[in-house]
Amino acid sequence: MKISDILKSKKVTVSFEVFPPKEWVKIADTKEVIKEMVKDKPSFMSVTYGAAGTSSGYTMEIANEIAQGGVSPLAHLTCLTSTKEKINSVLDEFEANNIENILALRGDIPKDFVMNEKQYYHHAYELVNEIKARNKFCIGGACYPEIHPESSNRVEDIARLKEKVDCGLDFITSQMFFDNEAFFNFREMCAIKEINVPIIAGIMPITNAKQIKRSVELSNCSIPKKFQKIMERFGENPDVMKQAGIIYATEQIIDLMANGVNNIHIYTMNKPDVAHQIMKGLSAIIHE
């Protein structure tokens, strides 16, 4: 089922993100993760495009496993280091496997990577145009509630997002954030600039204090004082930090929904127990 139709048909959606293994020998373990996660009946599940966008990994294999579990898969696709031929080959594979949903991303810049004139893709909107031309897929994109790390200011960032959305995106999913006010401000600016597609709020449950540095680097997000205090108090105790992180993420989601944000995407880090506990905490709200 296309995610655009899911978003239209349901009052509230909660979806999960998973990532494929780097080595085929671990594919069975990842499939077991998927089997556990689909039990919570997420609205859909996204699967990332290899490790940090450096390869296709086993995205298709995991997407098919999600579909077999009765959940609609959303396959990530990055373009920065790909040729036009490679992208079209992947799109052909998606079509052949009945993958209807794609999250179109530029991808992270690899270490020591240098942009050059011979590159076919430089920005995500170019990939969106490529996918849109096929008229086969529901297309999503990424957004940054607290400004893309490479944008000089919010005005520039929103302008680039508007350009990408106007190429034909059906929805956008935010990078993680820990301060809901930042998301509410971002949502308001999108409305002002007539970015009218559904905005899905991305939530990362921090269950290990070591996660936070990498999370901040990837999403350019701020850490509110409330969450800083949680890490200071519980960060050295893994079990307690895990519980506190799950509760904080659940409370974030409840506050978002109370303020009219009905579409949530959970960055699960392939942890079925974490996803399950959050869904358990939201059970009555989801089925309101």
Side-chain angles (χ1 to χ4, degrees):
M1 186 174 184
K2 289 188 175 180
I3 290 169
S4 54
D5 294 328
I6 293 173
L7 296 175
K8 290 175 184 176
S9 64
K10 293 188 177 182
K11 181 178 179 182
V12 170
T13 68
V14 179
S15 52
F16 299 161
E17 177 177 289
V18 296
F19 53 83
K22 296 179 181 179
E23 302 172 355
W24 182 260
V25 70
K26 296 180 180 180
I27 197 77
D29 293 338
T30 306
K31 288 185 176 182
E32 288 303 312
V33 167
I34 302 305
K35 288 176 182 177
E36 287 300 310
M37 285 192 174
V38 298
K39 292 178 183 179
D40 280 307
K41 299 181 179 179
S43 302
F44 62 89
M45 290 178 66
S46 73
V47 52
T48 62
Y49 191 65
T54 56
S55 70
S56 61
Y58 304 105
T59 301
M60 182 60 65
E61 188 75 16
I62 299 305
N64 282 331
E65 187 71 24
I66 291 168
Q68 289 173 21
V71 176
S72 296
L74 167 64
H76 291 211
L77 180 59
T78 64
C79 63
L80 181 62
T81 60
S82 292
T83 63
K84 181 180 174 67
E85 290 73 24
K86 170 63 176 177
I87 290 298
N88 277 286
S89 173
V90 173
L91 293 176
D92 287 342
E93 189 177 6
F94 284 169
E95 281 195 50
N97 283 269
N98 297 314
I99 302 299
E100 297 181 292
N101 306 295
I102 299 175
L103 191 70
L105 306 164
R106 185 199 66 178
D108 297 330
I109 300 177
K111 185 179 179 181
D112 300 324
F113 180 79
V114 178
M115 295 275 193
N116 62 76
E117 294 180 357
K118 294 182 180 180
Q119 277 178 245
Y120 190 82
Y121 301 102
H122 297 82
H123 304 285
Y125 76 83
E126 296 165 324
L127 176 59
V128 175
N129 287 332
E130 195 82 44
I131 301 169
K132 192 69 177 179
R134 294 199 174 210
N135 199 32
K136 295 280 187 179
F137 301 100
C138 171
I139 312 170
C143 58
Y144 286 74
E146 297 178 73
I147 307 178
H148 192 288
E150 295 170 33
S151 293
S152 58
N153 55 61
R154 170 59 77 197
V155 173
E156 175 190 329
D157 194 45
I158 292 289
R160 288 185 175 179
L161 177 60
K162 171 69 170 171
E163 178 183 25
K164 182 167 62 174
V165 169
D166 287 348
C167 286
L169 291 184
D170 296 292
F171 64 93
I172 51 178
T173 302
S174 85
Q175 289 286 350
M176 69 193 78
F177 59 92
F178 302 100
D179 183 352
N180 284 0
E181 287 301 319
F183 184 85
F184 297 146
N185 292 337
F186 169 73
R187 180 179 61 169
E188 183 177 349
M189 287 202 67
C190 285
I192 291 170
K193 295 299 182 181
E194 298 184 336
I195 296 173
N196 297 321
V197 296
I199 305 174
I200 302 174
I203 299 297
M204 167 75 85
I206 298 296
T207 57
N208 183 321
K210 293 179 181 179
Q211 283 179 268
I212 199 66
K213 182 179 179 181
R214 180 59 174 161
S215 298
V216 170
E217 289 175 352
L218 287 173
S219 63
N220 200 35
C221 63
S222 59
I223 305 299
K225 186 175 181 180
K226 178 181 178 180
F227 195 61
Q228 289 177 353
K229 291 295 183 182
I230 290 173
M231 290 190 295
E232 289 170 6
R233 176 67 175 83
F234 306 121
E236 298 300 318
N237 187 323
D239 290 338
V240 176
M241 185 62 220
K242 180 177 180 179
Q243 185 179 49
I246 290 170
I247 292 171
Y248 187 89
T250 304
E251 289 181 347
Q252 254 196 289
I253 294 169
I254 292 170
D255 180 59
L256 287 165
M257 289 183 175
N259 283 277
V261 180
N262 289 329
N263 306 122
I264 307 295
H265 192 59
I266 301 174
Y267 297 105
T268 69
M269 299 302 291
N270 286 26
K271 297 176 180 177
D273 60 324
V274 172
H276 175 70
Q277 288 185 59
I278 292 175
M279 294 294 276
K280 184 178 180 181
L282 298 172
S283 57
I285 295 170
I286 293 171
H287 299 102
E288 181 189 18

